[in-house]
Amino acid sequence: MPNKYVGIDVSKFKHTCCIMDDNGEIIKDCFDFPNTKEGFDSLVSSFEYLDNPINFKIVMESTGHYHFCLFKYLVSKNYQVQIKNPVVILRFKQSKYLDKAKTDNIDARLLAEYAFNNPFSPSYIKSYNIEQIQRISRAKYFLYQDKQRTINHIHKYLDETFPEFIPFFNKKDGIKRYQGRNLLDNKTILWIIRNFPSAKKFASARSETAEKIRCMSRGKFSLVRFNELRSIAKNSIGFTSEETEKIIIQLVDDLIRIQEKDDELDQILKPLIDETAPNLITIPGIGYRLAGLLIGEIGDVRLFPTPDKLVKFAGLDVRVNQSGTSDKHGCLRKRGSPMLRYALFQAAEKCRIHCPELAEFYSKKKTEGKHPICALTHLARKILRIVWALLTTGENYNSTITD
């Protein structure tokens, strides 16, 4: 049976469709349909009028989340759909046309032409677990960004109202104990900031407060430390206002809410990872947060027959420019998911501390004269190969996998 080649240009409120026959001739020119159930039904009706679902080859661009509902709907109706990277479609357009005009109709015809001229391999819906892991991990990633912004704002206002506060906790007996962000993970510290958002407020704190703080901190914040901080507060150079103190209290409340939401997502994420790929947690330095990002952004590892293909998917391969006697190697391509690269570099930072084999690999690259960032990039690439091996074989991590 002759095939029908369909290009669908996706947008937020409507989509544009063009259909070609087996000879590359347009049999149904561009038409729009709304991004609703009725619109999807009308599209399928126009397909059914022409042929059976098995004879249709449909191509759409990956346009954020806008193609997601239409893709799932067509797959549920037994249609084969290929989701293509917009960069690939752009290169195809540049190879055929010099005209830079861009309309929905032109794009729909172009996608139909691409389906006609190129090998077709249908895309598949991710498994339920992987899809949910990706959603939860991305939500946690954005919560983490919100948390860092909130902490930065708290630091800003504390530097105005009580500039000696954070340095007081940063060192004890000349030893650096906390980085600024880690300090605000402490519930006792947050309670102090919320109830005493300025040096003026803390300078008037009573002895009953000292006992309450000592109990909250399980004795770590003693009466002696309390008196030291109160003495510093009385001589503080900070300036405050009622409005600034209210802002600090609001920011602390926001930070607590963000942490509570993050903990709720953890309770949902952990069982999914334990069911899908618990062996990633066996890599020293990788916990549930990074494992979730890795699993969600990689997706189905069976789509990558070799680790090199996964490295290219992550954008960790190096640009190569070779011509004649010239052979240049440039920077990373940085194609693919930026969240996957973020997770890999975070994993590299953790693993070089907690995993002896990977720490040795990192040190080896540095002794070869590589810049620390370059050495970390090599380590991130190696971790990705290890992740590919674990997801492919289902085995737990062991030192031989790093060889």
Side-chain angles (χ1 to χ4, degrees):
M1 293 290 292
N3 291 319
K4 304 293 186 296
Y5 301 94
V6 181
I8 300 178
D9 182 65
V10 176
S11 58
K12 184 171 184 177
F13 299 111
K14 70 174 183 67
H15 312 305
T16 305
C17 179
C18 178
I19 306 174
M20 288 183 174
D21 62 14
D22 214 24
N23 298 316
E25 299 293 333
I26 295 176
I27 55 176
K28 190 170 180 61
D29 207 354
C30 300
F31 61 95
D32 296 338
F33 60 96
N35 189 30
T36 61
K37 177 68 164 56
E38 292 75 15
F40 291 0
D41 289 339
S42 67
L43 176 68
V44 169
S45 297
S46 63
F47 287 167
E48 291 174 346
Y49 177 78
L50 296 172
D51 212 334
N52 295 322
I54 195 173
N55 296 321
F56 281 86
K57 298 185 184 300
I58 305 170
V59 172
M60 295 189 293
E61 284 183 316
S62 176
T63 52
H65 58 277
Y66 294 131
H67 69 279
F68 186 73
C69 292
L70 179 58
F71 171 61
K72 277 202 164 185
Y73 179 85
L74 290 173
V75 171
S76 70
K77 298 294 184 180
N78 299 318
Y79 287 92
Q80 298 183 87
V81 184
Q82 185 178 24
I83 307 297
K84 293 302 296 184
N85 189 322
V87 176
V88 175
I89 302 301
L90 177 62
R91 295 290 183 266
F92 175 75
K93 179 180 179 180
Q94 291 171 343
S95 70
K96 292 183 70 68
Y97 305 105
L98 295 177
D99 188 5
K100 293 186 178 181
K102 185 185 185 306
T103 65
D104 292 344
N105 288 355
I106 290 174
D107 289 345
R109 291 192 198 99
L110 186 71
L111 289 166
E113 283 186 47
Y114 182 89
F116 175 75
N117 286 285
N118 293 274
F120 184 86
S121 56
S123 303
Y124 297 97
I125 296 176
K126 292 180 180 179
S127 72
Y128 175 82
N129 278 9
I130 291 178
E131 185 177 321
Q132 298 311 310
I133 287 172
Q134 183 188 50
R135 290 177 183 274
I136 296 168
S137 296
R138 287 188 174 185
K140 282 176 62 64
Y141 171 83
F142 291 121
L143 275 178
Y144 180 76
Q145 301 300 314
D146 291 341
K147 178 181 178 180
Q148 300 312 308
R149 281 191 289 269
T150 304
I151 288 174
N152 288 340
H153 280 92
I154 292 174
H155 280 198
K156 172 184 179 296
Y157 289 112
L158 276 180
D159 287 342
E160 297 174 7
T161 63
F162 197 173
E164 300 86 0
F165 184 84
I166 291 175
F168 176 80
F169 290 98
N170 271 354
K171 288 188 178 181
K172 183 180 180 183
D173 300 327
I175 300 173
K176 195 166 187 178
R177 301 174 64 227
Y178 291 103
Q179 298 295 333
R181 288 183 172 82
N182 294 338
L183 179 66
L184 295 185
D185 287 334
N186 188 305
K187 292 182 179 179
T188 305
I189 301 298
L190 287 180
W191 186 90
I192 295 173
I193 295 173
R194 192 188 186 286
N195 289 274
F196 305 96
S198 66
K200 183 180 178 181
K201 285 282 182 70
F202 196 85
S204 60
R206 298 181 178 180
S207 300
E208 293 84 358
T209 303
E211 179 61 21
K212 184 171 185 177
I213 295 174
R214 189 190 67 80
C215 294
M216 288 178 62
S217 64
R218 298 180 180 179
K220 293 180 181 178
F221 196 90
S222 63
L223 179 61
V224 174
R225 295 279 287 166
F226 174 83
N227 288 331
E228 287 178 8
L229 184 58
R230 186 166 60 177
S231 176
I232 291 172
K234 289 177 180 178
N235 298 289
S236 174
I237 60 172
F239 290 89
T240 187
S241 65
E242 184 179 349
E243 291 75 17
T244 304
E245 291 179 1
K246 287 181 178 179
I247 291 172
I248 292 175
I249 293 171
Q250 181 64 51
L251 288 170
V252 172
D253 289 341
D254 289 344
L255 188 59
I256 293 171
R257 277 195 295 270
I258 289 171
Q259 189 57 54
E260 289 173 350
K261 291 177 184 177
D262 190 61
D263 292 340
E264 290 174 7
L265 290 175
D266 276 337
Q267 298 305 313
I268 307 171
L269 179 65
K270 288 178 181 179
L272 290 171
I273 292 178
D274 289 338
E275 185 180 341
T276 306
N279 53 345
L280 288 192
I281 309 297
T282 62
I283 303 175
I286 293 184
Y288 282 99
R289 183 175 72 91
L290 289 178
L293 276 172
L294 292 170
I295 295 168
E297 297 305 318
I298 290 172
D300 189 350
V301 75
R302 293 173 296 179
L303 298 174
F304 307 99
T306 66
D308 288 337
K309 292 186 179 297
L310 183 54
V311 168
K312 289 184 177 181
F313 174 78
L316 291 179
D317 57 321
V318 177
R319 294 177 184 270
V320 178
N321 190 348
Q322 189 273 331
S323 178
T325 58
S326 174
D327 190 359
K328 297 179 181 179
H329 291 70
C331 57
L332 297 180
R333 289 188 181 276
K334 294 187 179 180
R335 290 282 171 81
S337 169
M339 289 190 191
L340 177 56
R341 287 193 297 278
Y342 163 82
L344 288 168
F345 277 95
Q346 289 290 309
E349 286 283 9
K350 301 294 184 182
C351 291
R352 74 181 179 88
I353 299 172
H354 299 286
C355 181
E357 298 83 17
L358 295 177
E360 183 181 351
F361 176 82
Y362 176 77
S363 299
K364 177 186 173 185
K365 291 298 177 184
K366 287 186 68 177
T367 55
E368 291 174 359
K370 297 188 182 299
H371 188 277
I373 298 298
C374 182
L376 200 67
T377 303
H378 280 277
L379 182 56
R381 195 180 294 122
K382 189 174 187 66
I383 290 172
L384 184 56
R385 294 177 183 275
I386 293 171
V387 169
W388 179 88
L390 297 186
L391 292 177
T392 303
T393 63
E395 298 177 359
N396 289 340
Y397 174 79
N398 60 77
S399 58
T400 60
I401 294 179
T402 62
D403 296 337

